[in-house]
């Protein structure tokens, strides 16, 4: 944890309490691998880069009141998800994460027990993703709890999956299912409004809620899509499928046509959206937080899809449409074309 | 800028406004060097690591209301400082920064003009430190403006400057002068309280205020201290000299003796502390934000100090004390020993 606090604009400064928190966090980290020459506790971490590989770097923050609600997610869920969304970005480049830095902004009165629960989630996802918490920073927050994570990883030079590699005629594929995380969040919001317990009895909805709380990054599939040079472009679905289709098409200079009937909408989410008066196709296309991967498959590499399917270990890879020469972004439903839903406002 | 916004716990999501901000930021970045294979705009950045070097990684956030006050610092100052404090941490490891990731958490109503001013400062320090803004993230903040920066850099394996390399008998040196940044902040606080303009007429105090707003990281000296294997331990003074002495001594398993008369206290800061009834030695030892380097010099490498002095280009390197076998941390003043001031509370 480098220079964890500094001069405070009110005149108060670095602290015993803070040193205690840092040494407590360090005591909870598993032994650092030999590749980490200097771990948490100095000005910076120092690590051996992967030989012959390129560095992959990404950062994403989870902000209380924006990305999570402490009534709906435990701090362990928040820590888990903060790591998951970052290693998902590395996987979406065809890379493998190796180190993360954890920047915690803690509201006054945060207890060591709360930090411990947050760390439980961080360390659980770190174990799953095989990443080392190499360092970070803690500071006071005047308001929200913020967990900002930077992940670094590596990728072989010719295995990088960019957004701009798609070509007209490439098939569009998505991993797993969509709509689950946003249905889960809507369910939580509704249950809270009605004063119900925040754990669904319905198994399908419970899975949706779990996807909102603890998304499963497609680490293995991402690495294989790059390794086998299956995909020509790839990105993760942090902001929803419609957004991902738009970004890949724009970066690649193509249009896109999505087949509504082919969309792998989560069954419980479909039922929930219908019952609450939403169009399930529109809701699933625009709902974020699923962390599936969208990728493009050129005809000439179609045979290599099998290696990705083997790596997917039962996670479906679904053909949902094509990149097109025409610049339009359309959803085809019952033979009719309609425009792809647009992005959604965050600010 | 990777997956810049995601599902909002209130149900609102990723945005046109946000995409506009990201593309605006990208348009302001200088052309990426060839070593940056994928720059801002994909899931993650991809870069060529320095051959034969180790990776250095650090992260530090500037939080409005904790680390800066918008009445006292312009957003350009905030952007400048956010880069400076991170490249300072890399220099304090003997390393050279190469890439930074910029994680911006923006309060509602932040204008594109404000982001531009912030970027002015970011890009100015990035130019000075010769670092590339490789990517990052933007998200909404429910309260404070937060600039969280991750810096990566490189260091040759045998040139790493850790905190724990000091030995009893090693001389303690500090670069430049101390106390200036905290005197500058105190002056600003006092001037604001009295309703005066926030720019000192006195040149010395103006320099102190500038040090608070735009600290100068000791990049060249840090790299040379590692390269010439001059120093046995090193860290930067983000949390003040007393804190740095304590941390190096604790990590090295030694005590330390500081000579109060030798401390290079900034002249204007000394006068300001005296005039406002503080002990200048205590205030300069405990004041943070100076971003000078504290390093230890073993007797056997003392001759190599000249190479560091040449690299310092007029920045004084001052001998302020020694690491000791006895575990105590003391300041010797007028022949009397007194305990080193303790750390300061941030939480």
């Amino acid at each position: 944890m480098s220079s964890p606090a500094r001069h405070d604009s009110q005149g108060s400064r670095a602290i015993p309490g803070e040193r205690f928190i840092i040494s407590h966090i360090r005591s909870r980290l598993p032994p650092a691998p030999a590749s980490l020459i200097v771990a948490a506790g100095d000005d910076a971490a120092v690590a051996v880069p992967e030989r012959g590989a390129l560095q992959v770097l990404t950062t994403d923050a989870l902000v209380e009141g924006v990305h999570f609600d402490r009534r709906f997610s435990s701090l362990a869920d928040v820590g888990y998800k903060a790591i998951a969304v970052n290693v998902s970005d590395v996987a979406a480049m065809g890379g493998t994460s190796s180190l993360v830095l954890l920047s915690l902004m803690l509201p006054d009165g945060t207890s060591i027990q709360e930090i411990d629960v947050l760390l439980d989630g961080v360390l659980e996802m770190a174990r799953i993703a095989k990443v080392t918490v190499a360092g970070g920073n803690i500071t006071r927050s005047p308001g929200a709890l913020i967990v900002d994570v930077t992940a670094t990883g590596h990728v072989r030079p010719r295995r990088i999956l960019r957004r701009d590699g798609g070509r007209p005629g490439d098939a569009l594929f998505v991993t797993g299912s969509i709509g689950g995380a946003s249905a889960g969040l809507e369910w939580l919001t509704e249950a809270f409004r009605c004063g119900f317990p925040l754990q669904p009895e319905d198994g399908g909805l419970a899975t949706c809620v779990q996807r909102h709380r603890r998304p499963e990054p497609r680490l293995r599939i991402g690495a294989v899509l790059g390794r086998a040079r299956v995909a020509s472009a790839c990105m993760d679905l942090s902001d929803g499928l419609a957004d991902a289709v738009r970004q890949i098409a724009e970066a690649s200079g193509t249009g896109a046509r999505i087949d509504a009937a082919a969309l792998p909408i989560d069954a419980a989410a479909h039922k929930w959206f219908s019952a609450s008066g939403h169009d399930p196709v529109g809701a699933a296309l625009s709902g974020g937080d699923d962390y599936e991967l969208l990728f493009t498959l050129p005809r000439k590499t179609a045979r290599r899809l099998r290696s990705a399917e083997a790596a997917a270990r039962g996670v479906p890879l679904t053909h949902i449409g094509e990149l097109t020469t025409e610049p339009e972004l359309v959803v085809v439903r019952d033979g009719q074309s309609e425009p792809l839903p647009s992005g959604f406002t965050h600010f």
Side-chain angles (χ1 to χ4, degrees), chain A:
Chain A
M1 307 279 146
S2 69
S3 55
R6 57 194 68 255
H7 211 100
D8 185 304
S9 66
Q10 303 321 309
S12 63
R13 289 152 216 178
I15 52 152
E18 184 187 323
R19 302 271 175 248
F20 176 76
I21 296 170
I22 293 170
S23 83
H24 179 78
I25 291 175
R26 289 171 65 186
S27 75
R28 288 216 42 206
L29 301 181
S35 60
L36 193 60
I37 310 286
V38 181
D42 215 306
D43 292 283
V46 181
V48 181
E50 185 82 0
R51 202 186 166 115
L54 299 170
Q55 278 180 288
V56 184
L57 302 129
T58 188
T59 184
D60 254 321
L62 296 190
V63 180
E64 183 180 358
V66 177
H67 307 97
F68 65 91
D69 186 319
R70 288 175 68 169
R71 298 168 305 190
F72 300 168
S73 295
S74 71
L75 287 180
D77 294 334
V78 173
Y80 185 102
K81 190 166 179 173
I83 303 297
V85 302
N86 278 281
V87 295
S88 175
D89 275 326
V90 173
M93 299 299 291
T96 303
S97 293
S98 40
L99 303 175
V100 294
L101 299 178
L102 196 59
S103 187
L104 299 179
M105 284 153 261
L106 305 172
D108 287 332
T110 303
S111 69
I112 201 81
Q113 287 75 19
E114 288 174 304
I115 293 169
D116 257 337
V117 173
L118 181 77
L119 273 182
D120 287 342
V122 163
L123 293 174
E124 188 173 340
M125 187 67 232
R127 205 160 44 234
I128 292 169
K130 299 190 177 70
V131 296
T132 301
V133 179
N137 187 56
I138 62 169
T139 186
R140 195 162 72 80
S141 165
L145 170 68
I146 298 171
V147 185
D148 198 1
V149 170
T150 296
T152 76
H154 50 269
V155 65
R156 296 281 145 186
R158 300 184 63 187
R159 292 171 181 173
I160 305 170
L161 295 172
R162 307 169 60 122
R163 292 185 187 177
D164 62 3
R167 295 291 167 265
D170 287 0
L172 280 164
F173 276 77
V174 70
T175 64
S177 64
I178 60 170
S182 64
L185 175 58
E186 285 192 14
W187 185 91
L188 284 167
T189 308
E190 193 62 15
F192 180 80
R193 199 177 64 80
C194 301
F196 297 150
L198 297 181
Q199 189 53 48
E201 287 175 16
D202 174 281
L205 278 172
T207 303
C208 291
V209 164
Q210 186 67 0
R211 286 197 75 164
H212 164 71
R213 289 178 175 149
R214 298 199 171 204
E216 185 186 344
R218 300 299 185 193
L219 306 179
R220 182 185 304 271
I221 305 176
V224 167
L225 287 175
R227 194 154 60 224
R229 288 205 253 146
V230 176
S232 48
C234 182
M235 72 175 282
D236 75 359
L237 298 197
S238 34
D239 295 334
L241 181 55
D243 171 77
V245 168
R246 174 167 283 106
Q247 295 226 34
I248 283 188
E250 282 182 2
S252 300
T254 69
R257 184 176 51 237
I258 303 297
D259 176 8
L263 292 173
I265 302 174
D266 178 277
H270 196 291
K271 205 168 138 192
W272 167 262
F273 289 134
S274 297
S276 45
H278 297 317
D279 164 29
V281 169
L285 274 171
S286 39
D289 249 8
D290 279 320
Y291 297 95
E292 298 291 356
L293 297 176
L294 173 71
F295 63 94
T296 56
L297 185 73
R299 209 165 295 170
K300 63 176 183 192
T301 63
R303 283 192 191 174
R304 295 189 204 146
L305 186 62
R306 283 208 196 137
S307 63
E309 279 172 332
R313 296 189 178 174
V315 175
L317 306 182
T318 309
H319 181 191
I320 59 163
E322 277 80 33
L323 293 183
T324 57
T325 313
E326 307 74 51
E328 287 74 29
L329 304 169
V330 296
V331 180
V332 179
R333 177 154 31 173
D334 304 327
Q336 302 288 321
S337 283
E338 50 190 73
L340 187 74
S342 63
F344 294 81
T345 49
H346 186 100
F347 283 86

